[in-house]
Amino acid sequence: MPEATKAIKLSLEADEKTFASLDGQSRICNWLYNDLLERAKNIKQTCIATNNFDQARFVYTQRGLRNLIPSIKEQCSFLKSVYSSPLKNAALRLSAAIEAHQKGKKGKRKNQVGWPRFRSWKKRWFSLLYDEPNKGYKIENGTLIISLGVNENNKRIALSFQLKDAEQLKGYEIRNLRVNKEHGTYYAIFTVQVKVPEKKPIEKSIGLDPNHKNFAYGVDHNNNAIEIEA
């Protein structure tokens, strides 16, 4: 049986301190996005000014900016308090935006998009993506536990939330988790794997044309016509 994916969005419940910690994780990812954007802009300008494009791989390859994160972590230790997946995906999100810009310039996209802009965390909460199945998060008895980074003692830290309507996840294989905040409410958005029935071959069909004189006028696959009264 073929498979497909769907999203299940569940609201999170916790105390103010826990949500404040979650906000802190989002702020750091937003900071990293802007820092990498500044670095990308400087590399781009240097390459153009010197006509030397050796460093351009960091800007224009899919994982170039992501590969800068380990060295930035050594300079900015607060990044270590965030789990690796959200940090990695902040870089990949920026790389995808740069790639879209480049494709637009080269005519490979229908709509052109500009060079990425710096993000304002106050205007838009930066979502946290855990992109691997059951890695960095787990669900126990309706409680979602997400892993963060490490504290100053190099000890792994985590946050716990009550999942509203957690029974909706029963029987599904979870592929990834995105944590987001919308209109003041925090959500866990799970991408799950679902089985879909085989498509049956279409043997009969009818096209309906609604209009103002009747409800619709139809023609089927054998050119039989039917008028449906209003």
Side-chain angles (χ1 to χ4, degrees):
M1 186 174 290
E3 294 186 339
T5 59
K6 76 171 185 177
I8 298 178
K9 185 178 181 180
L10 305 177
S11 60
L12 298 174
E13 298 176 347
D15 55 36
E16 290 184 5
K17 183 179 179 180
T18 301
F19 282 136
S21 296
L22 192 64
D23 284 344
Q25 297 280 297
S26 176
R27 283 180 182 272
I28 292 174
C29 288
N30 194 97
W31 179 93
L32 177 63
Y33 182 97
N34 288 338
D35 181 76
L36 288 171
L37 179 54
E38 180 68 25
R39 292 170 188 263
K41 184 181 71 172
N42 291 339
I43 291 172
K44 176 184 176 183
Q45 292 174 344
T46 301
C47 289
I48 294 173
T50 62
N51 200 31
N52 183 346
F53 294 90
D54 290 343
Q55 298 297 309
R57 67 184 185 278
F58 290 113
V59 180
Y60 297 112
T61 59
Q62 183 181 12
R63 303 184 186 279
L65 294 174
R66 185 205 67 173
N67 293 339
L68 293 176
I69 294 178
S71 61
I72 300 175
K73 271 187 175 182
E74 294 305 315
Q75 302 166 16
C76 308
S77 59
F78 62 87
L79 291 174
K80 297 178 181 179
S81 65
V82 180
Y83 195 74
S84 58
S85 289
L87 291 178
K88 172 189 72 176
N89 284 292
L92 293 179
R93 187 186 302 188
L94 175 56
S95 292
I98 293 174
E99 181 183 11
H101 168 69
Q102 288 298 106
K103 285 183 176 180
K105 286 180 62 178
K106 296 177 181 178
K108 295 181 180 180
R109 279 177 59 99
K110 184 176 180 180
N111 299 318
Q112 290 192 14
V113 295
W115 180 259
R117 297 182 179 182
F118 293 103
R119 290 178 52 94
S120 169
W121 184 84
K122 289 184 178 180
K123 290 184 178 180
R124 190 174 181 185
W125 205 85
F126 199 99
S127 63
L128 309 173
L129 176 59
Y130 293 75
D131 61 349
E132 296 184 57
N134 302 310
K135 189 172 181 180
Y137 61 94
K138 60 182 178 179
I139 301 172
E140 295 180 349
N141 300 321
T143 299
L144 172 65
I145 303 171
I146 62 172
S147 295
L148 309 185
V150 295
N151 60 18
E152 60 274 8
N153 298 318
N154 207 36
K155 183 179 179 181
R156 177 70 63 185
I157 48 181
L159 296 175
S160 297
F161 306 87
Q162 286 301 119
L163 273 176
K164 193 174 181 180
D165 301 321
E167 63 275 5
Q168 292 188 36
L169 296 170
K170 188 175 181 180
Y172 287 116
E173 179 185 351
I174 298 174
R175 306 302 299 167
N176 61 54
L177 162 68
R178 184 183 295 275
V179 180
N180 202 11
K181 182 181 181 182
E182 301 173 11
H183 307 294
T185 302
Y186 296 83
Y187 294 97
I189 304 168
F190 298 91
T191 299
V192 299
Q193 204 76 13
V194 295
K195 296 186 182 297
V196 295
E198 295 280 355
K199 291 184 178 180
K200 295 181 179 180
I202 297 175
E203 298 177 354
K204 299 179 180 180
S205 64
I206 184 170
L208 297 175
D209 179 22
N211 58 72
H212 64 280
K213 291 184 179 180
N214 50 41
F215 184 75
Y217 190 85
V219 178
D220 71 5
H221 61 291
N222 284 326
N223 292 324
N224 297 314
I226 185 172
E227 181 180 356
I228 304 175
E229 294 181 356

